[in-house]
Amino acid sequence: SQTIHQWPATLVQPVGSPLSLECTVEGTSNPNLYWYRQAAGRGLQLLFYSVGIGQISSEVPQNLSASRPQDRQFILSSKKLLLSDSGFYLCAWSVSPGNQPQHFGDGTRLSIL
Amino acid sequence: AQTVTQSQPEMSVQEAETVTLSCTYDTSESDYYLFWYKQPPSRQMILVIRQEAYKQQNATENRFSVNFQKAAKSFSLKISDSQLGDAAMYFCAYRGGGSNYKLTFGKGTLLTVNP
């Protein structure tokens, strides 16, 4: 069966520090991968998605970036975090195309001090 | 651009009773998919039910069912025999057809189940 792992679960970082959140998927090949952010009391906002190695589409311009160095690995990064980057970050995967849903990781709660 | 609207920020239901959560969406596409996700306090996003727009029959998963009204662009979720474990934030989501992989989420409805 397919599983998705996301870490760390919780992260506290100072303003201006770098960020690296990692997500890996097991049990499937060539998945579509996604990074979402959920601000407090709000729905999910799609940040990035990837349909293959090295292929990244950005949905919201900001100081975050994403990379996909391997088929089942998706990394969310920042060189300098802002206070507004605080939130709950969720990684998800799906098979493509079709009516298949996205399956989510457990999320990372990021607090910027 | 597609939008998804959940007009009920909060809802409550008595245990064992039925509750309906509303969702409307705006799209110009004829081929698309709709989903309901549940996010309990653990924050994990869990798929509850899905509906293909080309199917006229409403989807059903055990105690969960939808009322899909394509012409009205409405996709409500009905939870029957509500249980304490159903308490969560519920999100309605839209995905376009073809190679469009994006999910657009509503802002969510917080469901409380009273014993």
PDB file of all heavy atoms in Angstrom, chain A residues 1 7 30 41 49 61 69-70 72 75 87 93 103 108:
ATOM      1  N   SER A   1       0.840  -1.188   0.000  1.00  0.00           N
ATOM      2  CA  SER A   1       0.000   0.000   0.000  1.00  0.00           C
ATOM      3  C   SER A   1       0.887   1.254   0.000  1.00  0.00           C
ATOM      4  O   SER A   1       2.041   1.208   0.377  1.00  0.00           O
ATOM      5  CB  SER A   1      -0.927  -0.003   1.207  1.00  0.00           C
ATOM      6  OG  SER A   1      -0.182   0.069   2.393  1.00  0.00           O
ATOM      7  N   TRP A   7       8.052  15.293   7.311  1.00  0.00           N
ATOM      8  CA  TRP A   7       8.730  15.681   8.544  1.00  0.00           C
ATOM      9  C   TRP A   7       9.469  16.997   8.374  1.00  0.00           C
ATOM     10  O   TRP A   7       9.751  17.414   7.270  1.00  0.00           O
ATOM     11  CB  TRP A   7       9.696  14.583   9.001  1.00  0.00           C
ATOM     12  CG  TRP A   7      10.885  14.348   8.131  1.00  0.00           C
ATOM     13  CD1 TRP A   7      12.123  14.891   8.249  1.00  0.00           C
ATOM     14  CD2 TRP A   7      10.943  13.458   7.011  1.00  0.00           C
ATOM     15  NE1 TRP A   7      12.932  14.412   7.251  1.00  0.00           N
ATOM     16  CE2 TRP A   7      12.243  13.525   6.487  1.00  0.00           C
ATOM     17  CE3 TRP A   7       9.996  12.619   6.398  1.00  0.00           C
ATOM     18  CZ2 TRP A   7      12.633  12.769   5.379  1.00  0.00           C
ATOM     19  CZ3 TRP A   7      10.396  11.885   5.303  1.00  0.00           C
ATOM     20  CH2 TRP A   7      11.698  11.965   4.796  1.00  0.00           C
ATOM     21  N   ASN A  30       6.098   7.598  -9.951  1.00  0.00           N
ATOM     22  CA  ASN A  30       5.688   8.761 -10.725  1.00  0.00           C
ATOM     23  C   ASN A  30       4.392   9.399 -10.208  1.00  0.00           C
ATOM     24  O   ASN A  30       3.464   9.658 -10.979  1.00  0.00           O
ATOM     25  CB  ASN A  30       5.515   8.403 -12.205  1.00  0.00           C
ATOM     26  CG  ASN A  30       5.469   9.636 -13.076  1.00  0.00           C
ATOM     27  OD1 ASN A  30       6.076  10.647 -12.759  1.00  0.00           O
ATOM     28  ND2 ASN A  30       4.709   9.567 -14.167  1.00  0.00           N
ATOM     29  N   GLY A  41      -7.534  28.824  10.757  1.00  0.00           N
ATOM     30  CA  GLY A  41      -8.931  29.125  10.462  1.00  0.00           C
ATOM     31  C   GLY A  41      -9.260  29.251   8.994  1.00  0.00           C
ATOM     32  O   GLY A  41     -10.338  29.730   8.638  1.00  0.00           O
ATOM     33  N   TYR A  49       3.044  22.246  -7.180  1.00  0.00           N
ATOM     34  CA  TYR A  49       2.788  20.865  -7.531  1.00  0.00           C
ATOM     35  C   TYR A  49       3.808  20.421  -8.558  1.00  0.00           C
ATOM     36  O   TYR A  49       4.402  21.241  -9.261  1.00  0.00           O
ATOM     37  CB  TYR A  49       1.346  20.650  -8.004  1.00  0.00           C
ATOM     38  CG  TYR A  49       1.000  21.237  -9.347  1.00  0.00           C
ATOM     39  CD1 TYR A  49       1.088  20.471 -10.510  1.00  0.00           C
ATOM     40  CD2 TYR A  49       0.508  22.529  -9.450  1.00  0.00           C
ATOM     41  CE1 TYR A  49       0.724  20.992 -11.731  1.00  0.00           C
ATOM     42  CE2 TYR A  49       0.154  23.058 -10.669  1.00  0.00           C
ATOM     43  CZ  TYR A  49       0.257  22.289 -11.807  1.00  0.00           C
ATOM     44  OH  TYR A  49      -0.111  22.805 -13.021  1.00  0.00           O
ATOM     45  N   PRO A  61       3.213  33.247  -5.890  1.00  0.00           N
ATOM     46  CA  PRO A  61       4.563  33.822  -5.788  1.00  0.00           C
ATOM     47  C   PRO A  61       4.878  34.215  -4.349  1.00  0.00           C
ATOM     48  O   PRO A  61       4.082  34.829  -3.680  1.00  0.00           O
ATOM     49  CB  PRO A  61       4.481  35.054  -6.692  1.00  0.00           C
ATOM     50  CG  PRO A  61       3.038  35.392  -6.781  1.00  0.00           C
ATOM     51  CD  PRO A  61       2.301  34.091  -6.666  1.00  0.00           C
ATOM     52  N   PRO A  69      13.977  16.261  -6.266  1.00  0.00           N
ATOM     53  CA  PRO A  69      15.227  15.648  -6.722  1.00  0.00           C
ATOM     54  C   PRO A  69      15.096  14.174  -7.093  1.00  0.00           C
ATOM     55  O   PRO A  69      15.898  13.672  -7.876  1.00  0.00           O
ATOM     56  CB  PRO A  69      16.145  15.827  -5.505  1.00  0.00           C
ATOM     57  CG  PRO A  69      15.215  15.921  -4.347  1.00  0.00           C
ATOM     58  CD  PRO A  69      13.979  16.605  -4.852  1.00  0.00           C
ATOM     59  N   GLN A  70      14.105  13.524  -6.536  1.00  0.00           N
ATOM     60  CA  GLN A  70      13.855  12.110  -6.848  1.00  0.00           C
ATOM     61  C   GLN A  70      12.363  11.920  -7.110  1.00  0.00           C
ATOM     62  O   GLN A  70      11.540  12.764  -6.744  1.00  0.00           O
ATOM     63  CB  GLN A  70      14.303  11.219  -5.682  1.00  0.00           C
ATOM     64  CG  GLN A  70      15.780  11.321  -5.351  1.00  0.00           C
ATOM     65  CD  GLN A  70      16.160  10.400  -4.205  1.00  0.00           C
ATOM     66  OE1 GLN A  70      15.725   9.251  -4.140  1.00  0.00           O
ATOM     67  NE2 GLN A  70      16.979  10.906  -3.300  1.00  0.00           N
ATOM     68  N   ARG A  72      10.005  10.239  -5.816  1.00  0.00           N
ATOM     69  CA  ARG A  72       9.047  10.206  -4.721  1.00  0.00           C
ATOM     70  C   ARG A  72       9.456  11.107  -3.568  1.00  0.00           C
ATOM     71  O   ARG A  72       9.074  10.877  -2.421  1.00  0.00           O
ATOM     72  CB  ARG A  72       8.868   8.761  -4.240  1.00  0.00           C
ATOM     73  CG  ARG A  72       8.147   7.891  -5.256  1.00  0.00           C
ATOM     74  CD  ARG A  72       8.218   6.421  -4.901  1.00  0.00           C
ATOM     75  NE  ARG A  72       9.563   5.891  -5.039  1.00  0.00           N
ATOM     76  CZ  ARG A  72       9.904   4.659  -4.692  1.00  0.00           C
ATOM     77  NH1 ARG A  72       9.023   3.849  -4.144  1.00  0.00           N
ATOM     78  NH2 ARG A  72      11.130   4.240  -4.857  1.00  0.00           N
ATOM     79  N   ILE A  75      10.499  18.543  -1.740  1.00  0.00           N
ATOM     80  CA  ILE A  75      11.081  19.360  -0.681  1.00  0.00           C
ATOM     81  C   ILE A  75      10.578  20.789  -0.801  1.00  0.00           C
ATOM     82  O   ILE A  75      10.555  21.353  -1.901  1.00  0.00           O
ATOM     83  CB  ILE A  75      12.622  19.328  -0.759  1.00  0.00           C
ATOM     84  CG1 ILE A  75      13.110  17.895  -0.539  1.00  0.00           C
ATOM     85  CG2 ILE A  75      13.230  20.266   0.266  1.00  0.00           C
ATOM     86  CD1 ILE A  75      14.584  17.701  -0.778  1.00  0.00           C
ATOM     87  N   GLY A  87       2.371  28.611   9.649  1.00  0.00           N
ATOM     88  CA  GLY A  87       1.166  27.903   9.223  1.00  0.00           C
ATOM     89  C   GLY A  87       1.367  26.409   9.306  1.00  0.00           C
ATOM     90  O   GLY A  87       2.365  25.924   9.829  1.00  0.00           O
ATOM     91  N   TRP A  93      -0.055  13.509  -2.375  1.00  0.00           N
ATOM     92  CA  TRP A  93       0.269  12.833  -3.631  1.00  0.00           C
ATOM     93  C   TRP A  93      -1.012  12.332  -4.270  1.00  0.00           C
ATOM     94  O   TRP A  93      -2.035  12.119  -3.623  1.00  0.00           O
ATOM     95  CB  TRP A  93       1.245  11.679  -3.394  1.00  0.00           C
ATOM     96  CG  TRP A  93       0.626  10.488  -2.702  1.00  0.00           C
ATOM     97  CD1 TRP A  93       0.520  10.292  -1.361  1.00  0.00           C
ATOM     98  CD2 TRP A  93       0.021   9.346  -3.332  1.00  0.00           C
ATOM     99  NE1 TRP A  93      -0.122   9.090  -1.110  1.00  0.00           N
ATOM    100  CE2 TRP A  93      -0.427   8.489  -2.289  1.00  0.00           C
ATOM    101  CE3 TRP A  93      -0.168   8.962  -4.651  1.00  0.00           C
ATOM    102  CZ2 TRP A  93      -1.054   7.265  -2.546  1.00  0.00           C
ATOM    103  CZ3 TRP A  93      -0.797   7.742  -4.906  1.00  0.00           C
ATOM    104  CH2 TRP A  93      -1.241   6.920  -3.858  1.00  0.00           C
ATOM    105  N   HIS A 103      -3.920  12.273  -1.541  1.00  0.00           N
ATOM    106  CA  HIS A 103      -3.732  11.696  -0.221  1.00  0.00           C
ATOM    107  C   HIS A 103      -2.694  12.527   0.520  1.00  0.00           C
ATOM    108  O   HIS A 103      -1.620  12.798  -0.009  1.00  0.00           O
ATOM    109  CB  HIS A 103      -3.271  10.249  -0.338  1.00  0.00           C
ATOM    110  CG  HIS A 103      -4.198   9.410  -1.158  1.00  0.00           C
ATOM    111  ND1 HIS A 103      -5.324   8.815  -0.630  1.00  0.00           N
ATOM    112  CD2 HIS A 103      -4.186   9.074  -2.477  1.00  0.00           C
ATOM    113  CE1 HIS A 103      -5.957   8.141  -1.583  1.00  0.00           C
ATOM    114  NE2 HIS A 103      -5.295   8.283  -2.702  1.00  0.00           N
ATOM    115  N   THR A 108       3.129  19.572   8.771  1.00  0.00           N
ATOM    116  CA  THR A 108       4.169  20.189   9.601  1.00  0.00           C
ATOM    117  C   THR A 108       3.639  21.518  10.105  1.00  0.00           C
ATOM    118  O   THR A 108       3.227  22.373   9.318  1.00  0.00           O
ATOM    119  CB  THR A 108       5.449  20.443   8.794  1.00  0.00           C
ATOM    120  OG1 THR A 108       6.012  19.200   8.382  1.00  0.00           O
ATOM    121  CG2 THR A 108       6.470  21.219   9.636  1.00  0.00           C
TER     122      THR A 108
END
